[in-house]
Amino acid sequence: MSTQPLLEVKNLKKYFQTPKGMLHAVDDVTFSIDHGKTLGVVGESGCGKSTTGRAILRLLEPTSGEVLFEGQDVLKLSKEQMRRKRTEMQIIFQDPFSSLNPRKTVGQIIADPLKINKIIRDPNARLERVKELMETVGLANRLINTYPHELDGGRRQRIGIARALALNPKFIVCDEPVSALDVSIQAQILNLMKELQKKMGLTYMFITHDLSVVNHFSDDIAVMYLGKLIEMAPAEELFAHPTHPYTQALLSAIPIPSLDNRRERILLKGEITSPIEPPAACRFANRCAYATEKCHGAEPQLKEVSPGHVVSCFLSE
């Protein structure tokens, strides 16, 4: 087992040109994920979680930065090299319906990656592999000729997982894979993903806005706010000692199923900073109860507050 992380993201940026100026969707994000581990990425809608995941896989071309996969910068690969590299890097999309081709059967959808990448050319061998994948993700073989619209959300998401696993990847970006599903089905899908990770040694980047899910599922958690990575720590450490005021507010919103043990909700007030040409200041300053003049005039950098726990906040200094 190499000591080098499977994935290292360095100073990743993704900007979009808009009529009002440059929108900073992902701004200078740096992190790494070790082999067989899960990094949970959380934050409210529009904070750049999904854009980060897609930029890593080059489904969106990053503006700048480095994405080192097993030490190789995938942003420098040609289209053909990237196509081959994608067999090792896959994605499970958020909406299990719109990410599946409605004109294709379950079997055809799962066989597509094998066909397109010319991995298994023999149709009979390919069919065997599809059945094997269906079994792996808990789909009955009798569903091989059904269409996505005939199935429920949980089964559709299992098709998406089987398709992602078809090429034996090492790394999977899970883009809110359970947010469109019922709570009971969410648990099934998460348990399945955890099981597959153990069995196949998979490495996950797990994007979600559900903090109670991310706590059970992740080894480390990164918190994003308006395109910036503002805090990152091992899961237990982050829940025990949230340091950034935004992380504290996020954690205060997790419902506790107990009347005696209620926690104080931190309600955020104030105007959200525009992600278009944002000022060189803390992006959370407008909504932060502890903001000082310094926060409005300079941008805090990520600093280590305890082993493996980094945070970008002047308070933590």
Side-chain angles (χ1 to χ4, degrees):
M1 191 65 114
S2 76
T3 51
Q4 181 190 44
L6 179 77
L7 182 82
E8 287 177 274
V9 175
K10 297 180 181 176
N11 310 106
L12 185 69
K13 294 182 181 177
K14 177 60 186 167
Y15 297 169
F16 293 96
Q17 186 65 56
T18 71
K20 291 183 177 174
M22 204 57 95
L23 183 133
H24 293 216
V26 176
D27 211 350
D28 213 18
V29 166
T30 298
F31 61 81
S32 64
I33 312 175
D34 290 334
H35 291 257
K37 297 289 185 197
T38 301
L39 173 71
V41 183
V42 297
E44 57 199 68
S45 295
C47 71
K49 313 182 290 290
S50 296
T51 308
T52 303
R54 285 164 190 243
I56 288 169
L57 299 177
R58 284 180 67 184
L59 297 176
L60 292 169
E61 282 297 333
T63 305
S64 68
E66 290 178 80
V67 176
L68 303 175
F69 184 79
E70 296 182 319
Q72 181 183 33
D73 190 354
V74 298
L75 304 188
K76 293 197 170 121
L77 300 180
S78 68
K79 268 191 175 162
E80 183 51 39
Q81 288 169 321
M82 191 61 213
R83 198 174 73 84
R84 288 202 295 273
K85 182 56 77 181
R86 282 220 180 91
T87 60
E88 297 174 36
M89 311 168 79
Q90 286 290 310
I91 184 168
I92 298 167
F93 292 98
Q94 178 175 358
D95 181 357
F97 195 57
S98 62
S99 65
L100 302 175
N101 187 337
R103 291 199 178 89
K104 291 194 171 181
T105 64
V106 172
Q108 289 169 329
I109 290 168
I110 298 171
D112 265 353
L114 301 167
K115 215 167 168 181
I116 292 164
N117 290 284
K118 303 185 172 70
I119 305 278
I120 302 176
R121 292 169 190 260
D122 174 41
N124 293 332
R126 202 159 50 223
L127 182 64
E128 282 314 303
R129 174 72 176 136
V130 168
K131 285 180 177 171
E132 193 185 303
L133 284 161
M134 287 176 72
E135 199 175 312
T136 305
V137 300
L139 280 171
N141 269 343
R142 63 184 165 76
L143 301 174
I144 197 159
N145 293 319
T146 50
Y147 288 88
H149 72 268
E150 299 176 83
L151 303 172
D152 58 33
R155 285 199 179 104
R156 282 181 207 151
Q157 197 55 293
R158 285 171 195 266
I159 300 169
I161 296 170
R163 179 176 60 183
L165 293 175
L167 302 171
N168 286 327
K170 295 174 182 174
F171 170 67
I172 300 181
V173 172
C174 312
D175 186 6
E176 304 209 27
V178 294
S179 64
L181 307 176
D182 278 347
V183 177
S184 58
I185 296 171
Q186 279 187 13
Q188 290 173 16
I189 295 294
L190 290 171
N191 290 339
L192 168 70
M193 289 172 69
K194 206 79 187 130
E195 226 172 275
L196 292 170
Q197 183 174 35
K198 273 190 197 139
K199 202 162 89 180
M200 302 167 78
L202 296 169
T203 304
Y204 290 143
M205 175 179 169
F206 187 80
I207 298 164
T208 181
H209 55 250
D210 187 338
L211 280 151
S212 40
V213 164
V214 85
N215 184 23
H216 298 295
F217 198 78
S218 309
D219 298 291
D220 298 286
I221 298 175
V223 182
M224 285 186 73
Y225 183 79
L226 279 181
K228 283 274 182 197
L229 187 69
I230 56 168
E231 185 163 9
M232 182 163 155
E236 279 174 25
E237 163 71 13
L238 189 94
F239 272 72
H241 307 112
T243 306
H244 197 287
Y246 176 66
T247 310
Q248 292 167 0
L250 273 187
L251 295 185
S252 80
I254 301 175
I256 295 179
S258 155
L259 290 172
D260 317 318
N261 199 5
R262 289 184 154 175
R263 65 158 75 89
E264 190 69 33
R265 268 301 302 269
I266 301 170
L267 296 171
L268 298 176
K269 299 183 173 78
E271 194 66 37
I272 297 176
T273 307
S274 168
I276 296 173
E277 311 285 0
C282 171
R283 302 204 177 163
F284 186 61
N286 289 350
R287 301 169 79 191
C288 181
Y290 312 104
T292 63
E293 226 169 282
K294 188 180 184 183
C295 306
H296 290 283
E299 205 168 333
Q301 299 303 311
L302 279 172
K303 294 242 165 70
E304 194 163 44
V305 289
S306 67
H309 188 165
V310 292
V311 62
S312 72
C313 178
F314 293 124
L315 283 177
S316 64
E317 295 169 10

